[in-house]
DNA sequence: GTCTATAGCATGATAGAC
DNA sequence: GTCTATCATGCTATAGAC
């Protein structure tokens, strides 16, 4: 039998190639390579290496020479795909956020019961971050290094995601299904617990906690905080 | 009337000078200055500047020239206090952790009731991070940049702090005061919520949430999760 | 004990061959 | 489209005057 997570993974069917193809189309201005299949193939290598290196030593500490050594590119070759180091940051950041937003919205679209909406949103966020772990870690750590404009959008998208949780709680309260005296703060806490999953992934792995267990635990905590009586 | 936070702040009476004096004594090997009062005075300037710069642009992006400009030192003068840039990292890191551990242990030392212990530990952690915000933010962000040995201790101390929460919960369960089916994960979540306070300080400021309100909210959530009946 | 001056080097970025 | 060779910059770290 398929677990929820496996089901989610299959539904999403998010191949690296697909993501990178979207990235390519969005950024034809900064990428000098014209043939899509060549560009996409190499973007995968570049982004993979960047995420790997940045998550161990940090983006700023990673030099383009490190990146070349890891990805097998030459400096010159790399510069056909980015105009400068910051482009790398923007390239990776923007896409991760877009994906989170759309996945989360889709996950609750067809559900009306407030508690089930909450469960769906929490699971979707956790499952997505599990699949795209390096992306999430990178996004969190590097917001502060973004150019001002990109930082503003990054913060706005994060707020928007928190608002998804907030709206679910609020509407549940209005319907009399939830009891909560501070929906705003509870939404914040949900976000914090989502973050803990990908920021402290190693700790949870050491304690042998699966993403499904983690999701269940959080949903139980929320049920209890919102005083939902459950079967 | 004094709030809990003001009371804590007064009890701690943690002056920058005292912290820096301890730092000086611990690191006489790397600091070339012999007169304590001179060294301490200048360490305050250096550490203040480092924390300020690192929390906006990140430690790696901060150059020693930035640091000199901000602290009013010359490059040569600075190098009397550190042997290299990494020393700065180690200097600041180690002390923050020591302080957290000792404060937390002290906060619960004279309390026996499990729920009150939990409340005390949560409050102490939040209040401390409120006072030492730049220190906490820096510690979290820069663990990955530490030399291997220092990283190991950093992770161990973090685990130790989580264990404080874990032990309180476990002993409460044994005494029949708490009901919990996963003390380990709950302790993890407490830690995550502690982190959210200092990592997302700006967000909470925008939403006009005080540290006392935040503490109360978390303690309520925990009471509910642990099924503590409260007056 | 603090400064100025500078060595020595690694980095991001470019030009041009293939 | 990718590579090698090279530039200019700006960094950490040191030496030595005051």
């Amino acid at each position: 039998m398929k677990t929820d997570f496996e089901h989610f993974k299959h539904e999403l069917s998010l191949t690296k190639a697909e993501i990178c193809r979207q990235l390519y189309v969005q950024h034809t201005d900064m990428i000098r390579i014209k043939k899509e299949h060549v560009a996409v193939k190499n973007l995968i290598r570049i982004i993979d290496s960047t995420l790997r290196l940045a998550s161990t030593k940090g983006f700023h500490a990673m030099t383009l020479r490190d990146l070349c050594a890891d990805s097998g590119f030459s400096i010159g070759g790399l510069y056909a795909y980015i105009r400068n180091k910051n482009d790398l940051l923007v390239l990776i950041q923007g896409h991760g956020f877009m994906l989170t937003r759309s996945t989360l919205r889709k996950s609750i679209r067809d559900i009306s019961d407030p508690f089930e909406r909450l469960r769906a949103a929490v699971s979707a966020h956790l499952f997505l971050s599990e699949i795209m772990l390096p992306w999430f870690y990178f996004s969190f750590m590097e917001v502060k290094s973004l150019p001002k404009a990109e930082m503003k959008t990054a913060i706005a998208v994060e707020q928007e995601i928190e608002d998804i949780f907030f709206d679910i709680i609020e509407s549940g309260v209005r319907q009399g299904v939830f009891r909560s005296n501070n929906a705003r703060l509870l939404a914040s806490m949900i976000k914090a617990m989502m973050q803990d999953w990908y920021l402290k992934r190693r700790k949870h792995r050491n304690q042998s906690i699966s993403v499904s267990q983690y999701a269940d635990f959080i949903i139980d905590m929320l049920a209890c905080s919102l005083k939902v009586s459950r079967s």
Side-chain angles (χ1 to χ4, degrees), chain A:
Chain A
M1 195 202 107
K2 267 193 181 178
T3 64
D4 281 355
F5 177 50
E6 282 156 356
H7 186 252
F8 175 88
K9 210 166 166 176
H10 181 258
E11 279 275 290
L12 194 64
S13 74
L14 204 65
T15 65
K16 271 178 197 162
E18 262 181 86
I19 295 174
C20 287
R21 209 185 51 75
Q22 282 182 48
L23 274 179
Y24 172 70
V25 176
Q26 274 167 41
H27 293 102
T28 38
D29 48 328
M30 72 165 72
I31 299 170
R32 291 212 312 269
I33 279 47
K34 292 292 160 234
K35 288 188 183 165
E36 186 176 302
H37 72 278
V38 176
V40 169
K41 187 192 68 183
N42 288 333
L43 267 183
I44 294 176
R45 282 163 63 197
I46 293 170
I47 290 177
D48 265 3
S49 290
T50 305
L51 290 177
R52 173 169 45 250
L53 293 169
S55 60
T56 51
K57 39 164 61 186
F59 182 74
H60 226 96
M62 171 200 84
T63 68
L64 295 186
R65 283 180 171 80
D66 292 338
L67 181 56
C68 288
D70 193 272
S71 64
F73 264 91
S74 66
I75 295 273
L78 178 66
Y79 267 81
Y81 291 86
I82 50 167
R83 287 166 308 186
N84 52 56
K85 199 183 173 188
N86 230 357
D87 273 3
L88 253 183
L89 207 61
V90 174
L91 191 75
I92 296 181
Q93 265 275 0
H95 191 73
F97 276 123
M98 274 181 31
L99 191 73
T100 311
R101 170 162 50 184
S102 75
T103 306
L104 230 57
R105 293 219 175 280
K106 219 188 293 175
S107 76
I108 57 170
R109 203 179 40 199
D110 303 324
I111 304 176
S112 58
D113 175 65
F115 188 69
E116 290 308 317
R117 280 170 77 86
L118 197 55
R119 181 204 299 279
V122 164
S123 301
H125 197 301
L126 286 174
F127 291 170
L128 182 63
S129 67
E130 178 68 0
I131 295 172
M132 311 259 301
L133 189 93
W135 232 299
F136 274 75
Y137 187 84
F138 181 90
S139 280
F140 184 92
M141 286 297 186
E142 306 301 341
V143 201
K144 66 173 181 307
S145 320
L146 287 171
K148 222 180 161 189
E150 271 85 1
M151 184 161 106
K152 245 182 129 177
T153 32
I155 292 176
V157 176
E158 245 197 75
Q159 184 62 53
E160 198 189 318
I161 288 165
E162 189 181 305
D163 285 347
I164 294 179
F165 292 115
F166 176 73
D167 290 341
I168 297 177
I169 297 170
E170 268 262 300
S171 93
V173 171
R174 270 201 311 275
Q175 290 174 47
V177 185
F178 293 158
R179 272 181 287 170
S180 167
N181 49 16
N182 199 335
R184 174 90 303 174
L185 212 34
L186 189 58
S188 252
M189 292 307 90
I190 296 176
K191 196 89 204 312
M193 295 189 286
M194 298 296 100
Q195 270 161 17
D196 201 59
W197 178 253
Y198 57 85
L199 292 179
K200 301 283 173 182
R201 192 64 187 82
R202 173 167 302 175
K203 188 180 77 180
H204 295 124
R205 191 175 295 126
N206 288 344
Q207 292 166 7
S208 310
I209 296 170
S210 75
V211 63
S212 297
Q213 284 176 285
Y214 192 85
D216 288 344
F217 183 81
I218 293 200
I219 289 162
D220 279 350
M221 248 185 109
L222 292 176
C224 154
S225 266
L226 293 165
K227 310 204 172 44
V228 180
S229 51
R230 304 177 62 197
S231 50

